[in-house]
Amino acid sequence: QTVVTQEPSLTVSPGGTVTLTCASSTGPVTSGYYTNWFQQKPGQAPRALIYSTSNKHSWTPARFSGSLLGGKAALTLSGVQPEDEADYYCLVYYGGGQVFGGGTKLTVL
Amino acid sequence: QVQLQESGPGLVKPSQTLSLTCTVSGGSINSGSYYWSWIRQPAGEGLEWIGRIYTSGSTNYNPSLKSRATISADTSKNRFSLKLSSVTAADTAVYYCARVHCPGDCYYDYWGQGTLVSVSS
């Protein structure tokens, strides 16, 4: 069973920069895994931010960016805003299936 | 505007079958540009992909569910469904349905609000 691992929690100051990562138990994450990133706030459904590693949706704020970093998928927030405090999940595609990472709780403090 | 709405019993007894329906409005589930997924989230925990159905009717499932999940579609009613058999307390979760735009770069674009299903006697 494939396991996708994210940092359980991170803290960042307003205006700062933070990078969340997403690692696969099967080996390096590549563009072929089509990593998606989601933001989820309490009581809400997840909202898509990034697809296919680095593509933004029309509604994704410019301060969010996706990339590959050291064998992992990465989500970088530059110029963090208080409203970015949320849970973030990556989703990795494996052939016919998909696996979510365990999520990162981002605190803006 | 596309909307997805989950519906079904909020309480299911252990060993019984959980049945949920996702009704889609503002778009057709018969469109070849999409597939339709179920995802769940136990309280205070992360997201778990359950499975998906394509407009062709083909399906894929999370192997961890050990063949307990079945996803089907009713194009005449523009909805798709999830059945999860032999449920236990571990299946208690908020269940979401979602639309995924595919082929090419696949991405989730619309989600339902989620429905809480509790498994308890």
Side-chain angles (χ1 to χ4, degrees), chain A residues 33-98:
Chain A
Y33 287 73
Y34 303 100
T35 305
N36 284 210
W37 288 93
F38 300 86
Q39 178 192 64
Q40 187 181 35
K41 295 185 177 179
Q44 297 182 15
R47 181 176 75 133
L49 293 173
I50 300 287
Y51 64 97
S52 293
T53 302
S54 59
N55 294 294
K56 298 180 187 182
H57 293 282
S58 58
W59 55 82
T60 304
R63 61 184 179 274
F64 290 85
S65 63
S67 64
L68 296 175
L69 199 62
K72 301 178 183 180
L75 176 69
T76 299
L77 287 71
S78 304
V80 172
Q81 301 297 307
E83 61 264 30
D84 297 332
E85 183 162 294
D87 294 328
Y88 291 85
Y89 294 92
C90 63
L91 173 69
V92 181
Y93 290 77
Y94 296 93
Q98 307 168 18

Side-chain angles (χ1 to χ4, degrees), chain B residues 4-118:
Chain B
L4 287 77
Q5 179 67 58
E6 305 90 350
S7 60
L11 182 63
V12 181
K13 288 182 167 40
S15 80
Q16 293 191 343
T17 296
L18 176 160
S19 296
L20 295 174
T21 295
C22 181
T23 301
V24 180
S25 59
S28 171
I29 68 165
N30 231 2
S31 169
S33 299
Y34 306 101
Y35 64 78
W36 307 87
S37 283
W38 286 98
I39 300 99
R40 69 181 182 179
Q41 184 172 36
E45 297 185 25
L47 300 167
E48 180 181 28
W49 182 75
I50 297 172
R52 64 182 173 190
I53 186 165
Y54 290 85
T55 53
S56 65
S58 68
T59 53
N60 299 102
Y61 300 101
N62 186 332
S64 71
L65 294 172
K66 296 183 171 60
S67 304
R68 295 192 295 126
T70 302
I71 299 174
S72 60
D74 184 342
T75 56
S76 67
K77 295 183 178 177
N78 215 40
R79 66 189 191 189
F80 62 107
S81 300
L82 168 69
K83 291 188 186 301
L84 187 65
S85 63
S86 304
V87 297
T88 69
D91 294 309
T92 293
V94 173
Y95 285 75
Y96 295 100
C97 58
R99 187 181 85 167
V100 183
H101 180 275
C102 251
D105 289 327
C106 297
Y107 55 83
Y108 285 71
D109 55 4
Y110 290 99
W111 293 66
Q113 64 187 24
T115 187
L116 175 63
V117 179
S118 298

